[in-house]
Amino acid sequence: MHLLVTGGCGFIGSNFIQHMLAAHDDLLIVNLDKLTYAGNRRNLAEVEASHLDRRYFFVHGDICDQTLVPELMRQFRFDAVLNFAAESHVDRSINDPFPFITTNVLGTQNLLEAARKAGIPRFVHISTDEVYGSLGPTGQFTEDTPLAPNSPYSASKASSDLLARAYFHTYGLPVIVTRCSNNYGPYQFPEKLIPLTYLMASRNEPIPVYGDGLNVRDWIYVLDHCQGVEAALFRGRPGAVYNFGGDAEKTNLQVVRTILRLTGRDESLISFVADRPGHDRRYAMAFTRSTADLGWTPAYSFEDGMARTLAWYQANAPWLDEVQSGAYRQFMDSWYAERKA
Ligand code: NAD
Ligand code: DAU
């Protein structure tokens, strides 16, 4: 089976490629990645060392490239495209929405169009619970919840979901959309809450908590998400949307306190800062369709997933040091300076 994975050098994409190559002997994976600040080819160094000759190929390129993408689809005759590539950080989308529209909307459109013309038999588009907007204190998102995105990031993801839907209905492209809650695990870039908190705690520096710290996210260990995407690839129904969640609703303060406890740090490191504009209050995912149709449920508890995640970061301190390039500092310094002001 020939797979085109986009964004495979990012957090979830690199976990997905490692999982798939370990789980299946008959795969050839082409990873198309632009290597933005969030993409790191070293996330797949072990895969490159072991599979480069026959089962894994890296292509440095942009999903928006209207020459490269059709050419790859012609050359490799893919059985499926899995679109992980995206600008993924909500705060950056507030700071500058343009790259989000370019990659998440136009890039997805370019992939869909090339897949249509090449007659690709399966297209899995990786999306997010954030397209549903924000919940009150009760209830859960289902696949039938109306889309109500609140940030430039989630608006760009909702737009790409709608394009995927349109390509199924108009052209019959066999598209499946997956929507997942907040992931955590190895290789997550330290701009997101969990690795950022670990990084600051390990340095005994203040941990920025937005607003009152009581916003709720539904946390899922990244391997559970990867197995959901795998199940959607093999067993999903074209045209369907599948939700994945971790059954682990936590306030941000609960998450931060867990990391402080597991790293032996004091709660005095918690620093309340100005809230994120338009901050969604609560997410929670119902995933009964994924269980019924795909046989999928999350396997990792929050406690188990967090223990594995922190052990990985502790064992990979050089990775954490390396990804904090000039571009990382530039955004982080100005964003958090504004929050404290
Ligand atoms: P990430 O930011 O860690 O990685 C994104 C990857 O895409 C990087 O390797 C980057 O270089 C690449 N990329 C960006 N623009 C590109 C372009 N124009 N062409 C080719 N490659 C490009 O993101 P992530 O957290 O791994 O998220 C992956 C996907 O999963 C995204 O579509 C995101 O919306 C979705 N998602 C993420 C979460 C989460 O909690 N992180 C939850 C649900 C859904
Ligand atoms: O829900 C799925 C989404 O989860 C994905 O689609 C996104 O790609 C991914 O980035 C993530 O979005 P969030 O905005 O929920 O994740 P983040 O880690 O940025 O923030 C989690 C919560 O923690 C959120 O309520 C904001 C808060 N937060 C975040 C940071 C970075 C803080 O309080 N302080 C911080 O410094």
Side-chain angles (χ1 to χ4, degrees):
M1 194 177 197
H2 291 193
L3 302 181
L4 175 62
V5 174
T6 70
C9 292
F11 163 46
I12 303 171
S14 60
N15 277 282
F16 180 76
I17 290 174
Q18 292 184 51
H19 166 69
M20 291 297 280
L21 288 173
H24 305 277
D25 292 332
D26 59 341
L27 293 184
L28 179 148
I29 296 183
V30 175
N31 171 15
L32 172 62
D33 198 299
K34 188 180 172 184
L35 297 180
T36 67
Y37 77 94
N40 185 351
R41 201 169 166 182
R42 292 205 193 165
N43 293 358
L44 289 164
E46 281 178 29
V47 165
E48 291 209 358
S50 55
H51 299 108
L52 192 57
D53 52 339
R54 46 194 187 95
R55 296 177 58 206
Y56 172 77
F57 296 90
F58 172 67
V59 178
H60 185 192
D62 192 329
I63 60 167
C64 301
D65 189 324
Q66 293 182 33
T67 306
L68 174 65
V69 169
E71 180 54 25
L72 283 177
M73 292 201 189
R74 195 189 59 75
Q75 258 188 40
F76 285 95
R77 298 174 181 275
F78 295 110
D79 298 290
V81 173
L82 297 115
N83 182 28
F84 289 87
E87 288 293 338
S88 69
H89 191 37
V90 174
D91 296 338
R92 285 180 189 260
S93 83
I94 295 167
N95 199 46
D96 179 10
F98 282 98
F100 287 74
I101 306 309
T102 305
T103 286
N104 301 0
V105 185
L106 300 178
T108 301
Q109 149 73 14
N110 190 43
L111 288 170
L112 289 164
E113 182 64 13
R116 171 175 89 85
K117 288 190 173 146
I120 302 284
R122 218 159 182 77
F123 190 114
V124 183
H125 176 63
I126 316 305
S127 191
T128 167
D129 59 359
E130 298 203 8
V131 298
Y132 297 123
S134 186
L135 290 165
T138 58
Q140 291 182 313
F141 298 128
T142 73
E143 290 86 350
D144 298 322
T145 302
L147 303 192
N150 292 318
S151 71
Y153 163 70
S154 54
S156 70
K157 292 297 290 187
S159 305
S160 61
D161 289 17
L162 293 179
L163 282 167
R165 176 190 158 93
Y167 268 74
F168 172 73
H169 283 280
T170 305
Y171 303 113
L173 183 70
V175 181
I176 293 161
V177 174
T178 65
R179 296 188 180 133
C180 191
S181 63
N182 282 65
N183 287 222
Y184 64 99
Y187 303 101
Q188 187 168 31
F189 197 75
E191 63 190 356
K192 309 284 166 58
L193 181 67
I194 287 179
L196 179 71
T197 300
Y198 170 77
L199 178 66
M200 302 312 265
S202 65
R203 294 175 173 172
N204 286 309
E205 286 181 27
I207 295 156
V209 173
Y210 299 162
D212 61 6
L214 298 180
N215 299 63
V216 173
R217 298 292 183 264
D218 174 359
W219 293 96
I220 182 170
Y221 188 61
V222 64
L223 190 55
D224 276 330
H225 184 191
C226 293
Q227 287 176 337
V229 173
E230 177 186 23
L233 169 66
F234 292 126
R235 297 191 288 282
R237 182 169 44 83
V241 174
Y242 294 102
N243 280 358
F244 304 126
D247 245 348
E249 283 186 55
K250 307 280 172 208
T251 65
N252 295 333
L253 269 178
Q254 285 174 315
V255 171
V256 169
R257 286 188 174 127
T258 301
I259 297 170
L260 290 173
R261 181 171 46 78
L262 293 173
T263 54
R265 298 302 197 274
D266 196 83
E267 291 198 7
S268 59
L269 287 180
I270 294 172
S271 164
F272 289 96
V273 299
D275 210 351
R276 169 188 279 175
H279 197 174
D280 286 337
R281 192 62 173 168
R282 177 171 164 262
Y283 305 145
M285 286 295 249
F287 48 83
T288 43
R289 178 184 293 170
S290 296
T291 304
D293 289 10
L294 309 177
W296 178 90
T297 50
Y300 293 87
S301 68
F302 183 72
E303 292 67 29
D304 186 14
M306 281 298 287
R308 286 167 187 267
T309 301
L310 297 188
W312 187 86
Y313 279 98
Q314 275 154 359
N316 288 274
W319 181 92
L320 205 46
D321 287 340
E322 186 197 301
V323 298
Q324 295 170 60
S325 65
Y328 173 85
R329 284 260 148 260
Q330 213 179 349
F331 171 76
M332 301 297 275
D333 289 350
S334 69
W335 174 261
Y336 288 100
E338 277 172 37
R339 308 262 79 67
K340 277 185 216 152

